[in-house]
């Protein structure tokens, strides 16, 4: 059987009718919506859309913060045999939203009150637009606008007159019909619309559940954007398939207020599983360490001692507690009781593990969360694969890897000529399975380049080990090229520099057949200020001498990877940066250098800082204490 998303919902409603599926906090506490109530809402929304004239294959854009209405709206769109075009709330109205809405031919837009102004500002530039449905009640509505409440009323009336219309429409939907057109971030060109079918989603749910078990009592709080297919599959559709329940973060008046609600909501909902990305993982770790520091010297020492012991005991997870290491178990149990269990309370006390998606998750981060008793298991995927390809899990894991492959799935590692490589050799990851997208919307050329004879070329570089674990080591297509033509991946070096040094926040390496590799570095200014104060208390940060001392520290951190350094041999020295440009502001979504999945957009960084990169190849540029770097620390 090849079920649709509607089949998946119906099956779960039959099994878990009155069990909670959705949790939302609007006032003082989270309240549940049951499986049957979710289905009823979806049918009302579908009927309301059909009463507006929505027909098979119409595109309906969805722009909202995470909430119940997001999920029931998508289910309603699908029941009306329409296609959801999920949009990130981080998109700005200028080119980002306009391009997607025009390219997708969206005739209808469902939008939250918080995002409504973005749509109002561009509605006049969308000639195909017929209706805007607003989730939140407004004091006044502009032409073409109406409320979700009104849509539900119209749906109720439409169902009275046509009682079986939604069910009949839903039955006509085939597994190969489109469910979503999900846009890439467009890091180097116009965004591409990834066409994902009903079967892409249900197949990937089935595949994901070969790697992880979700008992019906599990809850999750979706802290990642709902517009991304990772939240779809690993979040609400996998949880739906298992009769478990899903909460969303309480929306604040601003993005920062919503972020502050995350730790509060985690404590309130007490999730069993959380989905994460490296940026969130680092934030959680930083908050834990900050809290521990405030507890005083003794608690800090206990925490650090317990961490070191746990690291040596756990190793890479699959090989923990072997040999004489098992003697540490009683003491570790004590540390867990007096230290780590208290840390876990910040996550509600019921969290079993995280699943990490997005960019590569540094092994030190994985070891940290494994040590405190809530493992952060790294997975791997991409939107074109709906998105899950592999993951570590409670049953099978190797820290540092991207886990076992979902089943069923075919995977091969190939060189640049397309030749399949043996186990242990690095090449491009290429996959084939029912989770592979239908193609890019209105872009046959890109589709033909990406899917060849049914095989999806991921553009990522990795290898398989002898135990069946996949290791992803960087981008196959964004390799740096040295002057002698040797190609190498920058990601491992970049992440290691940022993760091992408290003074370095972000790194982008560059080499396009140049004499040497250079780096753009965003520093942790506060950490550098503390370093200077410790070394030379009399120095004022505003002085050139203080800045030079800080820059020398950055150079020292890089040199730790060279001969005689703490991390000597971690990477070939010829790949390490020989010259550094310190950047005055971080790479963020706000300045357009980080995409919605928290990945730094290399091409855009290189374009913005082209002058700084060019200067790094001039005479004297290898001296880190240059005027540009000093000015960047101001």
């Amino acid at each position: 059987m090849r079920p649709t998303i509607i089949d998946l919902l119906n099956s779960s409603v039959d099994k878990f009718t009155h069990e909670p599926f959705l949790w939302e906090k609007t006032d003082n506490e989270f309240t549940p919506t049951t499986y049957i109530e979710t289905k009823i809402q979806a049918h009302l929304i579908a009927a309301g859309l059909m009463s507006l004239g929505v027909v098979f294959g119409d595109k309906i854009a969805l722009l909202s913060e995470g909430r119940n209405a997001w999920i029931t709206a998508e289910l309603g769109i699908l029941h009306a045999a329409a296609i959801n075009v999920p949009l990130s709330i981080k998109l700005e109205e200028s080119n980002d939203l306009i391009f997607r809405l025009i390219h997708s031919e969206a005739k209808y837009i469902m939008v939250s009150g918080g995002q409504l102004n973005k749509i109002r500002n561009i509605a006049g530039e969308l000639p195909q637009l017929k209706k805007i449905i607003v989730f939140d009640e407004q004091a006044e509505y502009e032409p073409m606008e109406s409320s979700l409440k009104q849509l539900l009323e119209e749906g109720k009336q439409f169902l009275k007159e046509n009682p079986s219309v939604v069910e009949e429409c839903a039955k006509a939907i085939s597994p190969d019909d489109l469910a979503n057109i999900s846009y890439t971030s467009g890091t180097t060109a116009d965004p591409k619309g990834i066409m994902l079918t009903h079967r892409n989603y249900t197949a990937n749910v089935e595949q994901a559940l070969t790697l992880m078990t979700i008992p019906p009592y599990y809850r999750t709080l979706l802290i990642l954007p709902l517009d991304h297919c990772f939240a779809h599959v690993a979040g609400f559709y996998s949880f739906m398939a298992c009769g478990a329940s899903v909460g969303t973060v309480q929306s604040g008046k601003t993005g920062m207020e919503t972020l502050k609600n995350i730790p509060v909501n985690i404590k309130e909902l007490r999730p069993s599983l959380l989905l994460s990305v490296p940026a969130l993982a680092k934030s959680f770790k930083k908050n834990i360490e900050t809290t521990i520091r405030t507890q005083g010297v003794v608690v800090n020492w206990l925490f650090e001692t317990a961490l070191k012991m746990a690291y040596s005991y756990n190793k890479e997870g699959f090989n923990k507690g072997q040999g004489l290491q098992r003697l540490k178990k009683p003491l570790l149990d004590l540390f867990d009781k007096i230290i780590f269990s208290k840390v876990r309370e910040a996550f509600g006390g019921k969290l079993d593990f995280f699943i990490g998606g997005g960019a590569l998750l540094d092994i030190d981060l994985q070891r940290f969360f494994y040590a405190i008793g809530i493992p952060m298991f790294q997975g791997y995927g991409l939107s074109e694969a709906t998105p899950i390809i592999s993951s570590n899990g409670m049953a099978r894991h190797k820290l540092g890897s991207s886990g076992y492959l979902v089943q069923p799935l075919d995977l091969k590692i190939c060189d640049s000529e397309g030749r399949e490589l043996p186990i242990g050799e690095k090449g491009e990851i290429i996959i084939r399975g029912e989770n592979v997208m239908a193609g890019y919307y209105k872009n046959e050329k890109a589709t033909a380049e990406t899917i060849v004879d049914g095989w999806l070329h991921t553009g990522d570089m990795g290898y398989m080990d002898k135990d069946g674990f996949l290791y992803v080591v960087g981008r196959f297509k964004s390799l740096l090229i040295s002057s002698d033509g040797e190609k190498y991946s920058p990601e491992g070096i970049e992440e290691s520099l940022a993760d091992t040094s408290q003074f370095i926040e972000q790194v982008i390496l560059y080499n396009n057949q140049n004499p040497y590799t250079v780096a753009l570095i965003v520093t942790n200014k506060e950490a550098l200020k503390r370093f200077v104060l410790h070394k030379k208390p009399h120095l004022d940060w505003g002085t050139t001498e203080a800045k030079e001392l800080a820059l020398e520290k950055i150079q020292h951190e890089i040199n730790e990877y060279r001969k005689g350094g703490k991390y000597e041999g971690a990477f070939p020295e010829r790949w390490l940066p020989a010259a550094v440009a310190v950047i005055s502001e971080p790479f963020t979504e706000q300045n357009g250098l980080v995409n919605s999945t928290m990945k730094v957009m290399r091409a855009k960084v290189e374009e913005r800082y082209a002058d700084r990169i060019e200067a790094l190849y001039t005479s004297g540029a290898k001296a880190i204490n240059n005027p540009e770097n000093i000015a960047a620390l101001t």
Side-chain angles (χ1 to χ4, degrees):
M1 183 185 172
R2 300 171 68 243
T4 63
I5 293 170
I6 291 160
D7 294 329
L8 179 65
L9 173 65
N10 288 337
S11 173
S12 293
V13 169
D14 289 344
K15 293 179 201 167
F16 311 107
T17 314
H18 300 293
E19 296 301 318
F21 174 47
L22 302 177
W23 294 91
E24 186 170 70
K25 184 183 177 187
T26 47
D27 295 317
N28 298 320
E29 61 181 0
F30 278 92
T31 55
T33 298
T34 65
Y35 275 82
I36 188 64
E37 287 168 342
T38 302
K39 180 177 175 176
I40 290 167
Q41 285 281 308
H43 277 224
L44 288 174
I45 290 170
L49 292 171
M50 292 164 82
S51 75
L52 291 177
V54 169
V55 296
F56 189 98
D58 273 350
K59 322 300 189 307
I60 303 178
L62 179 48
L63 178 65
S64 170
E65 303 78 10
R67 58 202 294 180
N68 285 1
W70 202 110
I71 297 171
T72 54
E74 170 155 291
L75 291 170
I77 290 166
L78 299 180
H79 275 81
I83 300 161
N84 182 19
V85 181
L87 299 169
S88 168
I89 61 169
K90 291 161 187 172
L91 296 170
E92 294 305 320
E93 51 263 39
S94 54
N95 296 327
D96 289 337
L97 275 175
I98 291 172
F99 175 85
R100 288 161 172 80
L101 289 166
I102 290 177
H103 185 265
S104 67
E105 302 160 320
K107 294 178 181 176
Y108 305 86
I109 300 174
M110 303 184 83
V111 61
S112 68
Q115 301 296 312
L116 180 58
N117 277 339
K118 290 181 182 179
I119 300 302
R120 284 178 170 174
N121 290 340
I122 60 174
E125 299 177 59
L126 305 172
Q128 79 282 15
L129 185 60
K130 292 184 176 181
K131 193 75 174 174
I132 299 166
I133 297 144
V134 189
F135 288 162
D136 306 290
E137 293 287 316
Q138 302 296 304
E140 292 182 9
Y141 291 91
E142 294 189 358
M144 287 201 296
E145 294 177 358
S146 63
S147 69
L148 178 61
K149 184 179 178 183
Q150 184 181 338
L151 183 81
L152 291 168
E153 286 299 321
E154 289 168 357
K156 194 180 290 184
Q157 186 59 37
F158 195 71
L159 277 176
K160 273 186 184 175
E161 297 163 8
N162 309 274
S164 59
V165 67
V166 172
E167 286 184 1
E168 286 171 8
C169 183
K171 280 178 189 171
I173 297 164
S174 108
D176 297 320
D177 287 331
L178 294 187
N180 283 179
I181 298 175
S182 177
Y183 280 85
T184 65
S185 53
T187 54
T188 55
D190 280 338
K192 295 190 283 285
I194 299 165
M195 297 188 290
L196 298 177
T197 66
H198 280 257
R199 181 54 186 157
N200 284 152
Y201 275 114
T202 61
N204 203 222
V205 166
E206 292 164 14
Q207 290 169 318
L209 292 174
T210 65
L211 299 182
M212 63 179 179
T213 301
I214 301 175
Y217 63 81
Y218 258 30
R219 293 180 187 178
T220 189
L221 181 73
L222 289 175
I223 53 182
L224 299 183
L226 268 61
D227 58 275
H228 196 274
C229 55
F230 181 47
H232 274 68
V233 173
F236 47 90
Y237 287 141
S238 285
F239 273 66
M240 177 192 288
C242 297
S245 57
V246 175
T248 46
V249 176
Q250 185 181 17
S251 289
K253 291 175 183 173
T254 64
M256 186 54 67
E257 194 176 302
T258 302
L259 278 175
K260 287 178 179 176
N261 285 338
I262 291 175
V264 177
N265 290 170
I266 288 174
K267 277 188 174 182
E268 292 169 331
L269 194 64
R270 305 183 74 193
S272 316
L273 165 63
L274 284 173
L275 308 181
S276 184
V277 291
L280 271 171
K282 289 174 186 175
S283 175
F284 286 145
K285 179 174 182 277
K286 193 174 181 179
N287 289 342
I288 291 167
E289 290 171 334
T290 302
T291 303
I292 291 292
R293 272 199 298 270
T294 64
Q295 304 296 307
V297 177
V298 174
V299 172
N300 202 48
W301 178 85
L302 276 171
F303 184 72
E304 292 297 327
T305 304
L307 273 183
K308 286 175 187 172
M309 186 175 290
Y311 290 167
S312 64
Y313 176 84
N314 290 334
K315 295 186 180 178
E316 284 73 48
F318 75 100
N319 53 358
K320 67 180 177 182
Q322 294 183 355
L324 293 175
Q325 290 292 336
R326 72 183 64 174
L327 298 175
K328 296 176 181 175
K329 185 70 166 63
L331 190 52
L332 274 173
D333 288 343
L334 178 62
F335 277 138
D336 188 78
K337 188 174 182 179
I338 62 175
I339 294 283
F340 294 150
S341 64
K342 306 295 189 294
V343 173
R344 292 195 294 273
E345 282 301 317
F347 294 94
K350 287 191 172 183
L351 188 61
D352 288 339
F353 61 99
F354 294 87
I355 290 288
L360 302 180
L361 184 64
D362 181 75
I363 191 168
D364 289 334
L365 268 175
Q366 294 179 48
R367 286 185 172 131
F368 177 85
F369 285 101
Y370 201 96
I372 65 174
I374 38 175
M376 188 167 286
F377 292 125
Q378 173 70 3
Y380 164 67
L382 67 164
S383 298
E384 288 86 344
T386 326
I388 303 171
I389 291 171
S390 68
S391 184
N392 287 282
M394 294 292 272
R396 280 181 190 159
H397 51 266
K398 239 186 215 190
L399 303 188
S401 80
S402 290
Y404 263 82
L405 303 182
V406 299
Q407 294 298 323
L409 183 82
D410 297 320
L411 179 144
K412 57 186 180 179
I413 306 293
C414 294
D415 64 14
S416 55
E417 304 300 317
R419 292 184 292 260
E420 190 167 354
L421 298 169
I423 284 172
E425 287 198 31
K426 296 174 188 174
E428 184 178 13
I429 300 166
I430 299 174
I431 67 152
R432 181 174 62 186
E434 284 192 281
N435 55 318
V436 170
M437 67 172 179
Y440 294 116
Y441 188 56
K442 297 193 296 192
N443 196 336
E444 291 179 10
K445 181 175 181 291
T447 301
E449 290 169 352
T450 307
I451 302 176
V452 182
D453 299 326
W455 289 90
L456 174 68
H457 290 246
T458 68
D460 290 318
M461 184 164 66
Y463 66 93
M464 295 294 296
D465 76 2
K466 60 182 176 57
D467 297 321
F469 284 88
L470 175 66
Y471 285 78
V472 182
V473 295
R475 286 294 292 167
F476 189 75
K477 293 178 181 175
S478 65
L479 301 179
L480 303 188
I481 309 173
S482 61
S483 56
D484 60 3
E486 183 181 8
K487 297 177 182 177
Y488 57 98
S489 175
E491 277 98 337
I493 303 171
E494 292 166 347
E495 289 173 7
S496 190
L497 282 167
D499 290 330
T500 59
S501 172
Q502 61 174 304
F503 304 102
I504 298 174
E505 290 284 323
Q506 294 169 305
V507 184
I508 287 291
L509 298 186
Y510 177 87
N511 194 344
N512 188 15
Q513 301 183 69
N514 300 99
Y516 49 84
T517 300
V518 300
L520 302 175
I521 287 182
V522 175
T523 64
N524 183 331
K525 285 185 189 175
E526 294 308 310
L528 286 172
K529 287 177 182 178
R530 288 196 298 270
F531 169 76
V532 170
L533 183 65
H534 175 72
K535 280 287 181 184
K536 296 192 175 180
H538 64 281
L539 267 188
D540 181 79
W541 177 252
T543 64
T544 299
E545 188 182 349
K547 306 287 199 317
E548 288 177 343
L549 186 58
L551 289 168
E552 285 163 13
K553 183 60 178 173
I554 295 296
Q555 186 65 62
H556 171 78
E557 299 292 282
I558 295 168
N559 291 343
E560 289 282 30
Y561 288 83
R562 302 187 191 280
K563 190 171 182 180
K566 193 192 304 183
Y567 307 111
E568 177 187 349
F571 306 102
E573 286 209 23
R574 64 187 179 279
W575 295 353
L576 297 173
V580 169
V582 174
I583 306 302
S584 59
E585 64 170 349
F587 310 138
T588 65
E589 291 174 273
Q590 287 68 38
N591 60 23
L593 300 179
V594 170
N595 68 19
S596 61
T597 58
M598 307 304 288
K599 294 177 185 173
V600 176
M601 296 187 281
R602 186 177 301 276
K604 291 193 176 181
V605 171
E606 290 171 1
E607 182 184 347
R608 181 156 316 172
Y609 294 106
D611 292 346
R612 295 291 305 275
I613 290 171
E614 188 178 345
L616 291 173
Y617 292 104
T618 59
S619 176
K622 290 183 181 180
I624 198 167
N625 282 342
N626 58 60
E628 289 85 359
N629 286 346
I630 289 170
L633 289 179
T634 302

